Amino acid sequence: MARPRSDSPLLFEIVEKPDFSVETRAMAQGLWPVAGMDEAGRGPLAGPVVAAAVVLDPARIPDGLDDSKRLTFDQREALFDRIVSSAIGVAMASVCAEGIDDMNILRASLEAMRRAACGLPVRPKLALADGRDVPPGLPCEGRALVKGDQRSQSIAAASIVAKVMRDRMMAGCGRLHVQYGFEVHMGYATVRHRTAIDLHGPVARLHRTSFAPFRLGAERVEE
């Protein structure tokens, strides 16, 4: 006899969506404004790491906020406009490829988040950072949230802003360096990108020469 099929959702089918509960608890403790911080571009071989800090208006939180990696291009673009127009404060900052090579990608990511938090038009009392590390030198208390872009709407908003801004920057690089196709892969180590590097070499001040394959012996650098 066949076993009856359960109508309960399986654990792996449950998709966690970010909410405003972390921020609400902080507000109850007198920690307001609360900024969410996230970065985009830790993995690519080229381009900057870009961070954003966002202070959402609790009365005007855009619908559909989520981890930017779980959204389509069109969804991110639409949410970017709604975040910028409705938030109390939005700031962006970046660390270039040379800075990444000098300080390593983790420190560069944290530094970009610090700069973004310091650039907000309002001074936060608490900054929530996606990941395990709190950026040093914040202008306020900082807390790290693992998978924060899937838990906090403020961090999710920051992840969207950072991703959209970095994608736009890499699209601009693609128009300048047409043989690399940066507008398609945003500098990630795709087959097309690696093939372009083999054919043309890395681009000075754009490729991260501390990353493989460059540190393994690539010599030619396009100016």
Side-chain angles (χ1 to χ4, degrees):
M1 180 176 178
R3 296 178 62 183
R5 184 180 179 88
S6 172
D7 60 359
S8 299
L10 297 176
L11 179 60
F12 59 79
E13 292 177 340
I14 299 174
V15 178
E16 188 172 324
K17 293 288 187 179
D19 58 30
F20 208 64
S21 59
V22 176
E23 294 88 337
T24 299
R25 289 195 295 271
M27 292 169 66
Q29 299 167 2
L31 296 174
W32 182 257
V34 177
M37 303 181 299
D38 202 0
E39 51 72 28
R42 286 185 65 164
L45 301 178
V49 59
V50 177
V54 177
V55 178
L56 292 174
D57 182 344
R60 302 176 63 199
I61 298 175
D63 292 332
L65 293 177
D66 202 350
D67 174 0
S68 62
K69 297 183 292 295
R70 302 199 299 206
L71 300 171
T72 66
F73 173 87
D74 289 340
Q75 288 172 326
R76 289 194 298 267
E77 288 286 332
L79 280 165
F80 177 91
D81 291 339
R82 289 158 59 191
I83 292 165
V84 170
S85 64
S86 66
I88 293 171
V90 177
M92 293 151 273
S94 65
V95 173
C96 67
E98 289 179 310
I100 292 168
D101 291 336
D102 287 342
M103 67 178 76
N104 77 45
I105 186 58
L106 174 59
R107 289 175 59 197
S109 299
L110 296 175
E111 172 60 13
M113 283 194 278
R114 183 196 69 80
R115 294 177 185 177
C118 290
L120 284 166
V122 294
R123 186 182 180 95
K125 288 190 176 179
L126 174 65
L128 304 173
D130 182 48
R132 298 181 180 277
D133 301 293
V134 176
L138 290 173
C140 61
E141 179 182 341
R143 297 178 189 172
L145 286 181
V146 176
K147 293 186 178 180
D149 48 10
Q150 299 177 24
R151 298 167 58 190
S152 159
Q153 288 178 322
S154 298
I155 297 178
S159 78
I160 293 166
V161 172
K163 172 65 173 169
V164 169
M165 288 303 301
R166 187 181 191 279
D167 284 358
R168 292 178 181 179
M169 294 167 73
M170 295 309 297
C173 292
R175 290 189 291 272
L176 184 62
H177 302 283
V178 295
Q179 62 268 47
Y180 292 88
F182 290 125
E183 73 281 2
V184 177
H185 52 65
M186 307 306 170
Y188 282 89
T190 63
V191 172
R192 175 177 176 178
H193 190 189
R194 286 182 173 273
T195 300
I197 293 169
D198 289 341
L199 290 173
H200 307 290
V203 180
R205 296 178 295 279
L206 183 57
H207 277 103
R208 304 172 182 179
T209 55
S210 61
F211 282 36
F214 312 114
R215 68 170 183 266
L216 302 180
E219 297 178 354
R220 183 173 40 175
V221 177
E222 177 185 304
E223 293 288 351

